[in-house]
């Protein structure tokens, strides 16, 4: 299990709610990326911590990981970056993304724990 903490929520994060997309980034994100991302502490994640059938939790909301893109674990390990799509059913996954269910947008707060 890997645990990190939300330290910043970009002012444009809610704009992606309609697309059911949440972008996570570690603390080295550029100002442009910070505007659209949830920034988290990102400290020494275990390699390949994100697996199909695993759990993703943010705050009190838990999701099941349905799909994992081919570059998702590498991007998360190196940059703390991952795109999370909240979708149900079969979907095509982008290389740096994961798909989780249920299709419910989480309540976001600074200080929340994120676990994989």
């Amino acid at each position: 299990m890997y645990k990190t903490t939300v330290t910043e929520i970009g002012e444009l994060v809610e704009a992606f709610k309609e697309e059911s997309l949440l972008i996570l980034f570690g603390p080295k994100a550029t100002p442009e990326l910070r505007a659209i991302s949830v920034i988290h502490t990102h400290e020494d994640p275990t390699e390949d911590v994100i697996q199909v059938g695993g759990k993703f939790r943010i705050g009190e909301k838990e999701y099941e990981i349905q799909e994992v893109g081919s570059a998702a674990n590498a991007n998360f390990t190196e940059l703390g970056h991952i795109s999370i799509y909240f979708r149900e059913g079969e979907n095509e996954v982008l290389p740096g993304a994961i798909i989780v269910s249920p299709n419910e947008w989480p309540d976001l707060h600074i200080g929340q724990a994120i676990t994989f």
Side-chain angles (χ1 to χ4, degrees):
M1 184 175 85
Y2 175 73
K3 184 175 180 180
T4 185
T5 304
V6 174
T7 58
E8 184 179 332
I9 300 170
E11 65 269 12
L12 300 176
V13 167
E14 288 286 324
F16 291 95
K17 187 175 182 177
E18 278 186 31
E19 297 177 42
S20 298
L21 170 62
L22 183 67
I23 301 169
L24 298 183
F25 240 106
K28 295 181 182 178
T30 65
E32 296 82 14
L33 292 171
R34 285 179 179 280
I36 63 169
S37 301
V38 171
I39 306 300
H40 62 99
T41 51
H42 186 62
E43 296 175 19
D44 302 322
T46 306
E47 284 191 32
D48 297 330
V49 70
I50 304 166
Q51 298 292 323
V52 172
K55 302 295 182 193
F56 161 69
R57 185 179 196 114
I58 185 163
E60 297 300 314
K61 188 69 183 163
E62 185 173 271
Y63 302 87
E64 183 175 340
I65 300 169
Q66 302 291 314
E67 300 287 337
V68 177
S70 59
N73 274 293
N75 288 351
F76 190 73
T77 298
E78 184 176 335
L79 304 169
H81 168 60
I82 194 161
S83 297
I84 302 166
Y85 289 90
F86 301 89
R87 298 185 181 157
E88 308 233 8
E90 293 188 30
N91 296 284
E92 184 176 334
V93 64
L94 297 171
I98 64 171
I99 297 173
V100 300
S101 69
N103 182 6
E104 296 175 14
W105 185 261
D107 291 325
L108 300 170
H109 306 284
I110 293 173
Q112 278 178 314
I114 297 173
T115 58
F116 286 97

